[in-house]
DNA sequence: CTTCATTATGCTCGTATTGAGTATAATAGA
DNA sequence: TCTATTATACTCAATACGAGCATAATGAAG
């Protein structure tokens, strides 16, 4: 086995003609206002904030924060890395582009509501919003299109495989709709060429694709990655609070979760869940902004461990 | 709001003096043999396989596969991305090094048992193996060292914060040991300078640090990331099977899971869990390699969706 | 050839968690 | 004053989960 230590190899590489790459940072910045999950966009709402990773940046995260704040004037709260991918630059001298994507959560200010490129993420993924029932686009367009794509394969194995993947991702089987599969669903639509990005028609000036508003390059895929990650994460880490104002009612919290999940939750059980997890405490105030009795206001309990709820069982452990 | 489209920006950057970076791929390759979880290492078992991302590589994944197979002669099965981080190169001309790490699962061959750099990951993290009870190093060395570190802080807030973090990560509180927190534990030890990497003593020729065998640069941290990820993942995705031979007994499967989790599981309940999930099917054969009655052999049911078990509830959804 | 430790496997049982719904009271708007 | 709407407390059944008992089959030890 031929082995060079990393140290040795790095030195060699540095002096030789080392292949260098460009590094970009891309941000999926999410906020929730008026019961809508919104993503921060630039340009004609067709791109995510992004920029090159520069020497001045102390770290990837700080580089990202700098870029987002410069481009949008918006500070970022919680940040987590999403995914890194590489693309040979199609147009240029065989240079490789590496993109490192991040998910950021922000408390959107009232002031910059729709003005500054905050768009509901359901503009891009209309089939993902099941709060008012199954969206019409699913039975009308998306599912028939996908099933047709599955059928058009010549190889029966591929047909079967495609069919099963569609059924699973879109909940056509017994398991039902699973909101966490947002990325798989987008990827199926891409494979089936039902989204504009996959058809090269978008640069002909049609920003509204067959299914949902599109974005440049692979930005919509990155957004889908962020949505899926967030939908998964709210279930085992108290990240929702990064999106909430300092004080809130349980119904507001519920509406935020519902906006993210794209589904309605059972109110009584939601409250039971929140309270038994000991994540919030009453502020003492009550508000009555709507009908019904006044609601108590709560705040997030800053109990050092935002680590909490890292439960995760599913292995039948034994004590011995 | 100043906005340039990504397209425009990229062109500008390419012609101008664009800051370029070096990109490395680093692999955490895991296999389980003889009931031990093993990681593929190179050099003096102090480094993970790694290499530069090159132009010839079609994608990051294929680049990684190429490197690992060339360095070790070992094919990779399952692969998933772990994390990307950047370090200014300490020694050189302000160049930035980007490292993209991957987790890979392999079925280790019998032939290259210990010879080819397969090391038990508990060599590096002896405090993580709780299969034979709490390892002595925890009460003897690790915990006292960490508590002392917590106490030595002058600011009482920092003292309290450190204390709580140690209690949480090492299960000193009521929640008990949580095997998924492997990374947090390593990071605490690093912060407390209880691992060699943090003390700069390792390059003085001492490969055995205060707590566990060390590695160059941040490789041990990357390994901890991989371990934590795998320990989390086995609970909701059937990735264990990537580590198993084509046919196996339920006890072998259990031993593999236990090796990864570093904990023993309840045998009867483990079988119930596996069977109700419908992940395996009998091959029809039985074997009696040990005492006791012959055990049935099983194989993984290749039911298209290795996607399965993407359950994940924890939100009280409602039907309406 | 017995004995015994070890393993496979089936079954029970109490408790916690989860999904779903009923019930009651408080309030704003019509 | 009515009524739709909301907050909040409870109940109830269905599972899921942790823990353990029981039985049978086998290899190793004597």
């Amino acid at each position: 086995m031929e082995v060079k230590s990393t140290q040795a190899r790095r030195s060699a590489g540095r002096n030789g003609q080392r292949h260098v790459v460009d590094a970009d940072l891309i941000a999926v910045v999410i906020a929730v206002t008026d019961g809508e999950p919104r993503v921060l966009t630039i340009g004609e709402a067709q791109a995510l904030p992004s920029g090159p990773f520069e020497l001045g940046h102390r770290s990837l995260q700080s580089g990202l924060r700098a870029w987002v704040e410069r481009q949008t004037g918006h500070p970022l709260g919680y940040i987590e890395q999403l995914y890194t991918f590489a693309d040979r630059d199609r147009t240029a001298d065989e240079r490789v582009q590496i993109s490192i994507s991040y998910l950021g959560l922000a408390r959107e200010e009232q002031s910059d509501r729709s003005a500054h490129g905050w768009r509901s993420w359901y503009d891009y993924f209309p089939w993902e919003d099941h709060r008012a029932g199954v969206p019409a686009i699913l039975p009308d367009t998306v599912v028939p299109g996908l099933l047709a794509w599955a059928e058009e394969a010549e190889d029966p194995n591929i047909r079967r495989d495609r069919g099963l993947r569609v059924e699973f991702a879109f909940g056509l089987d017994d398991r039902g709709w699973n909101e966490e599969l947002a990325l798989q669903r987008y990827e199926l639509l891409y494979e089936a060429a039902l989204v504009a990005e996959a058809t090269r028609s978008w640069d002909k000036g049609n920003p509204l694709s067959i299914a949902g508003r599109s974005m440049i390059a692979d930005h919509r895929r990155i957004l889908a990655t962020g949505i899926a990650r967030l939908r998964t994460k709210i279930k085992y880490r108290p990240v929702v609070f990064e999106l909430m104002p300092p004080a809130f009612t349980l119904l507001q919290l519920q509406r935020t979760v519902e906006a993210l999940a794209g589904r309605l939750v059972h109110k009584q059980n939601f409250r039971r869940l929140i309270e038994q997890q000991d994540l919030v405490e009453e502020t003492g105030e009550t508000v009555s902004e709507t009908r019904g009795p006044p609601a108590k206001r709560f705040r997030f309990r800053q109990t050092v461990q935002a680590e909490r709820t890292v439960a995760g069982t599913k292995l039948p452990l034994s004590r011995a």
Side-chain angles (χ1 to χ4, degrees), chain A:
Chain A
M1 179 178 55
E2 179 207 26
V3 170
K4 278 191 259 184
S5 86
T6 301
Q7 301 265 315
R9 195 176 33 63
R10 282 191 182 170
S11 306
R14 192 179 300 118
N15 300 329
Q17 84 301 25
R18 181 68 185 276
H19 299 296
V20 294
V21 301
D22 291 340
D24 252 20
L25 300 172
I26 303 190
V28 177
V29 182
I30 303 295
V32 177
T33 43
D34 308 324
E36 277 299 301
R38 300 180 196 275
V39 57
L40 189 52
T41 63
I42 62 172
E44 304 299 318
Q46 291 192 0
L48 299 169
S50 68
F53 178 61
E54 289 168 343
L55 270 184
H57 298 145
R58 277 203 318 277
S59 68
L60 292 173
Q61 292 221 357
S62 65
L64 182 87
R65 283 183 195 277
W67 251 103
V68 171
E69 292 179 16
R70 203 192 320 160
Q71 283 193 1
T72 68
H74 217 86
L76 280 184
Y78 178 85
I79 276 189
E80 92 176 41
Q81 204 179 87
L82 277 178
Y83 203 75
T84 301
F85 37 95
D87 273 315
R88 182 120 2 151
D89 213 316
R90 295 105 182 162
T91 57
D93 50 0
E94 281 287 299
R95 203 163 215 177
V96 172
Q97 170 79 31
I98 287 189
S99 300
I100 306 158
S101 57
Y102 278 83
L103 171 67
L105 304 184
R107 284 174 248 273
E108 187 191 347
E109 306 296 326
Q110 293 299 89
S111 56
D112 53 14
R113 188 70 48 91
S114 58
H116 287 63
W118 287 105
R119 302 293 291 243
S120 168
W121 76 33
Y122 295 121
D123 289 354
Y124 304 95
F125 304 98
W127 57 88
E128 293 289 342
D129 188 0
H130 287 229
R131 287 175 293 177
V134 175
I137 193 180
L138 264 180
D140 292 353
T141 314
V142 173
V143 169
L146 285 168
L147 292 179
W149 164 74
E151 282 309 312
E152 89 194 10
E154 300 198 355
D155 183 336
N157 285 323
I158 296 183
R159 260 207 308 280
R160 189 174 136 276
D161 181 60
R162 285 182 178 178
L164 286 171
R165 284 166 62 208
V166 171
E167 285 178 16
F168 175 72
F170 287 84
L172 309 180
D173 57 8
D174 52 326
R175 272 184 292 272
W177 180 262
N178 181 347
E179 71 280 357
E180 295 179 27
L181 302 177
L183 179 59
Q184 282 95 319
R185 285 187 284 267
Y186 175 79
E187 287 182 335
L188 278 171
L189 285 168
Y190 188 97
E191 264 194 81
L194 292 174
V195 291
E197 294 93 326
T199 61
R200 294 175 184 279
S201 70
W202 81 267
D203 50 7
K204 299 191 181 69
N206 174 22
L208 290 174
S209 57
I210 304 172
R213 175 177 265 269
S214 70
M215 296 182 125
I216 66 163
D218 44 10
H219 284 204
R220 188 151 57 145
R221 182 191 301 270
I222 298 171
L223 176 54
T225 308
I227 292 172
R229 178 82 126 256
L230 190 48
R231 284 182 169 179
T232 306
K233 197 134 201 175
I234 51 171
K235 293 180 182 168
Y236 66 96
R237 281 288 183 85
V239 283
V240 215
F241 299 104
E242 302 285 341
L243 299 163
M244 302 297 296
F248 46 84
T249 68
L250 290 186
L251 184 60
Q252 289 168 343
L253 184 64
Q254 180 184 342
R255 293 289 178 235
T256 301
V257 168
E258 288 175 336
L260 299 176
R263 316 184 64 170
L264 299 180
V265 306
H266 186 284
K267 182 194 292 209
Q268 297 92 321
N269 291 345
F270 177 75
R271 303 170 98 91
R272 176 174 67 187
L273 195 71
I274 295 295
E275 282 167 4
Q276 86 188 12
Q277 301 217 129
D278 229 37
L279 291 172
V280 297
E281 59 190 6
E282 302 182 14
T283 66
E285 315 155 283
T286 59
V287 286
S288 39
E289 293 167 333
T290 62
R291 291 189 193 178
K296 292 179 193 161
R297 300 236 289 171
F298 292 82
R299 74 170 72 90
F300 180 45
R301 274 189 75 210
Q302 284 288 12
T303 46
V304 179
Q305 329 95 307
E307 310 282 344
R308 284 193 60 88
T309 328
V310 199
T313 33
K314 206 66 177 184
L315 277 189
L317 300 175
S318 71
R319 279 180 301 193

